[in-house]
Amino acid sequence: MDSSQFRQAAHSAIDEIAQYYDTIAERPVLPNVAPGYLRPLLPDGPPEEGEEWTEIQADIDRVIMPGITHWQSPKYMAFYPCNSSFPAMLGDMYSGAFNAAAFNWICSPAVTELETVVMDWIAKLVGLPDCYLSKGEGGGIIQGTASEVVVTAIVAARERIIRRRLADMPEGEEKLDRMAEMRGKLVALGSEHAHSATQKGAIIAGTRFRTVPAPEETGFRVTGAALRKTIEELRVKGLEPFYFTATLGSTAHCAVDDLEGIAEVAKENPDVWIHVDAAYAGSALVCPEYQHFCKPMEHYDSFNFNLHKWLLVNFDCSAFFIKRRRDLIDTYSIAPSFLRNEFTDKGLVTDYRDWQIPLGRRFRSLKVWFVLRSYGVNGLRAFIRNHVSLGEYFEGLIRSRPDLFTVVTKAAFALTTFHVNPRPGSPVSTSANAPNPAHEAYLNDFTNSAEAEYRASANEITKHVYETINAQREFFLTSAVTGGIYIIRVVSATPNAEEKYLKQLFELLVKTAEEGLAVPSADIPTRK
């Protein structure tokens, strides 16, 4: 493909992409294919001779589109969004054209320097303390995902505590043995509702992992007292907590941990690295009304959120801010001769390879730059606030039918969670240690197992409603089980989200719940 053919193919591809976005709301969100659908549609190997672009492009519709889940659809309300925008797509195009590995400054100075500038813009935009800016000891770096960031932070935290504890020991075999012994006692911590990335990161780092309780009574959030207690209990056992993931927007409910209380624990335990995972909800910090969450972060070690979730930058683009970049550099900096250059040797430049696990890196700051300039601060704030309002609208719809639904966690960062009430319908919060007609409807008697019976019934019908709606493929939702409660999660935060789609979903929920409740419990089908 020469430049003339590329120009023609690119025009054709862009026209097709634009048409896809113009019609995305009309497509079923979920694909209607079975596992293994793709292989029979393709030959056993690549063609011996190259094919024309028109033949290749035609297979997008024939082969690829049937297996696509349409994440940008306004009817996609599952997990969290993974938003795209046309300015970000253009950034990806330019990045692909320049195609620099960019592991150090000399590889392409613009790649490094734009990232430093843009990450400072982002830090100021979301209200982070000045300690996270590049003008001081900190700074920001773009990573692929929040999961990569957590692994990077855990390994750096592990090495930092070992460096501090064994700083006076001379290098040698005895020190290596002590380091290995220490690693075996280190414990990484995360909320019981934190993303699984913390547990996976602990496995990769070769350390232990423990959860910190975040019960329903605290709003599914970790308190400072709970973290302190967990640390103390582990130390009594001879273990050494060295890292904790604080959550700003938990996976299931978008709960926010007790950031101020945790800051006090951080002051008491300077060797425990506190990382804030705000993968989804962190984008809301562009709005001043949410920036009070940032004040305690001056006492933490690192912060992260995914611009590719809610801030219109295409996947992948995860903003990682560090208070002391030296903590990363001391862990990850290795300088073989082939990477040496006069600018690095003189300390005149930033080499982001020393802040991360991989060597090479993409020109991701370009798409961030394009989005920030295209939307502006006010445009991004309006985008976030619209989704927050949509979440509150949907919560109001759910609350309008208390006979059918119970809100488990109210709208937070556009996410609402709820469950379906079983026959005859009563709040899940009803205590089991007091007489209640709804409880007795299950047992014809007052017993202490009535609450469990109620929850089992609620879980059964909620799961049925959830699976029935997803099976129709018009909308895509996700569920979770927290505190023994099966919940449905609805988050409408795609670029084309509107009230009318939430109203359609609500009407479908009502219809499905009413039909499910009309069927005897034993006859409700179970999907496996």
Side-chain angles (χ1 to χ4, degrees):
M1 184 181 285
D2 60 26
S3 62
S4 176
Q5 292 169 317
F6 169 71
R7 186 176 287 110
Q8 184 177 3
H11 281 303
S12 175
I14 287 172
D15 284 343
E16 192 167 75
I17 290 168
Q19 176 68 11
Y20 168 71
Y21 274 79
D22 288 344
T23 60
I24 196 168
E26 302 163 15
R27 302 170 183 263
V29 179
L30 286 169
N32 186 24
V33 296
Y37 90 95
L38 184 60
R39 185 174 292 276
L41 300 178
L42 296 176
D44 290 338
E48 293 296 326
E49 304 296 334
E51 299 176 343
E52 294 295 323
W53 168 249
T54 52
E55 296 178 64
I56 299 169
Q57 186 179 23
D59 274 351
I60 294 291
D61 266 336
R62 184 184 72 88
V63 175
I64 301 302
M65 201 62 77
I68 291 292
T69 297
H70 302 291
W71 283 62
Q72 310 311 310
S73 168
K75 297 179 180 180
Y76 176 96
M77 302 178 188
F79 301 110
Y80 286 118
C82 187
N83 289 342
S84 66
S85 66
F86 294 130
M89 291 182 209
L90 293 172
D92 268 343
M93 286 177 61
Y94 276 106
S95 177
F98 299 142
N99 201 36
F103 43 80
N104 61 13
W105 181 86
I106 197 64
C107 286
S108 274
V111 177
T112 293
E113 296 197 12
L114 183 63
E115 185 160 340
T116 301
V117 171
V118 163
M119 291 301 280
D120 279 346
W121 283 12
I122 292 289
K124 293 174 184 176
L125 177 61
V126 301
L128 286 179
D130 285 352
C131 59
Y132 290 97
L133 297 176
S134 64
K135 67 181 180 181
E137 296 182 24
I141 177 174
I142 298 174
Q143 298 285 275
T145 66
S147 301
E148 292 175 37
V149 169
V150 168
V151 172
T152 303
I154 288 177
V155 172
R158 182 195 71 189
E159 295 306 294
R160 185 181 73 173
I161 193 172
I162 289 173
R163 283 193 302 270
R164 289 179 177 180
R165 298 291 175 85
L166 304 181
D168 296 332
M169 282 192 73
E171 298 299 324
E173 190 171 338
E174 184 180 354
K175 185 173 183 177
L176 292 174
D177 289 342
R178 285 288 304 278
M179 291 169 67
E181 182 183 348
M182 271 196 70
R183 289 190 183 106
K185 294 182 179 180
L186 295 178
V187 185
L189 303 173
S191 164
E192 62 177 307
H193 302 296
H195 193 277
S196 58
T198 300
Q199 184 174 2
K200 182 180 283 189
I203 293 170
I204 294 169
T207 67
R208 305 180 190 218
F209 171 76
R210 296 290 186 275
T211 58
V212 182
E216 186 179 357
E217 306 86 77
T218 68
F220 302 106
R221 66 191 196 127
V222 171
T223 63
L227 177 59
R228 183 181 293 107
K229 182 181 178 186
T230 301
I231 290 172
E232 291 170 352
E233 289 174 346
L234 289 167
R235 285 178 176 158
V236 167
K237 296 177 181 178
L239 301 175
E240 188 64 69
F242 75 104
Y243 170 93
F244 173 66
T245 298
T247 303
L248 199 166
S250 63
T251 303
H253 337 79
C254 240
V256 178
D257 286 344
D258 173 20
L259 299 179
E260 291 189 356
I262 292 168
E264 293 303 312
V265 179
K267 295 177 195 175
E268 301 162 8
N269 299 272
D271 285 343
V272 177
W273 182 304
I274 307 291
H275 171 70
V276 179
D277 178 11
Y280 165 68
S283 294
L285 299 176
V286 302
C287 302
E289 58 266 32
Y290 290 107
Q291 291 179 359
H292 61 279
F293 289 124
C294 292
K295 182 168 175 43
M297 291 183 200
E298 62 186 335
H299 303 293
Y300 297 162
D301 295 281
S302 55
F303 168 82
N304 159 250
F305 78 103
N306 291 342
L307 285 83
H308 64 242
K309 275 193 167 69
W310 201 11
L311 215 59
L312 294 162
V313 178
N314 291 15
F315 188 87
D316 58 356
C317 188
S318 191
F320 179 28
F321 295 93
I322 183 82
K323 186 161 73 173
R324 289 177 295 272
R325 55 181 176 267
R326 194 78 244 168
D327 289 337
L328 294 179
I329 294 169
D330 286 346
T331 299
Y332 296 112
S333 180
I334 297 176
S337 59
F338 71 90
L339 293 177
R340 300 283 298 275
N341 64 84
E342 61 174 311
F343 306 103
T344 297
D345 290 347
K346 291 177 180 178
L348 299 176
V349 297
T350 295
D351 285 338
Y352 281 120
R353 65 181 175 82
D354 294 332
W355 295 36
Q356 63 177 29
I357 294 171
L359 175 65
R361 48 203 334 276
R362 295 183 293 285
F363 196 178
R364 288 177 286 215
S365 60
L366 201 57
K367 58 187 175 184
V368 180
W369 191 44
F370 285 5
V371 167
L372 292 176
R373 294 181 63 187
S374 297
Y375 285 85
V377 173
N378 290 333
L380 293 174
R381 287 174 177 167
F383 179 74
I384 296 294
R385 286 168 176 156
N386 176 53
H387 291 149
V388 170
S389 296
L390 288 176
E392 293 167 351
Y393 168 75
F394 183 74
E395 180 193 345
L397 291 177
I398 292 295
R399 290 192 186 279
S400 72
R401 291 299 305 267
D403 57 319
L404 288 177
F405 308 114
T406 294
V407 171
V408 177
T409 55
K410 63 182 184 180
F413 305 100
L415 171 71
T416 303
T417 72
F418 63 98
H419 73 80
V420 182
N421 297 332
R423 312 164 194 81
S426 132
V428 77
S429 58
T430 303
S431 176
N433 57 16
N436 183 292
H439 291 159
E440 294 173 21
Y442 294 102
L443 305 172
N444 297 318
D445 189 9
F446 172 68
T447 77
N448 287 330
S449 66
E451 182 71 14
E453 292 288 334
Y454 175 84
R455 290 203 172 189
S457 226
N459 289 350
E460 179 184 44
I461 186 62
T462 303
K463 186 177 184 213
H464 167 72
V465 169
Y466 161 74
E467 291 180 340
T468 300
I469 286 177
N470 274 355
Q472 295 173 25
R473 302 189 300 119
E474 182 180 3
F475 292 91
F476 184 26
L477 313 177
T478 46
S479 63
V481 178
T482 55
I485 308 170
Y486 192 102
I487 58 173
I488 298 174
R489 305 168 66 263
V490 171
V491 53
S492 181
T494 60
N496 297 317
E498 292 182 49
E499 281 188 6
K500 67 179 182 180
Y501 299 113
L502 287 165
K503 186 72 184 314
Q504 290 172 18
L505 172 64
F506 174 69
E507 290 171 351
L508 183 57
L509 283 164
V510 169
K511 178 176 180 290
T512 309
E514 289 178 338
E515 289 175 351
L517 290 169
V519 177
S521 178
D523 295 334
I524 291 178
T526 302
R527 290 180 176 83
K528 297 183 179 179

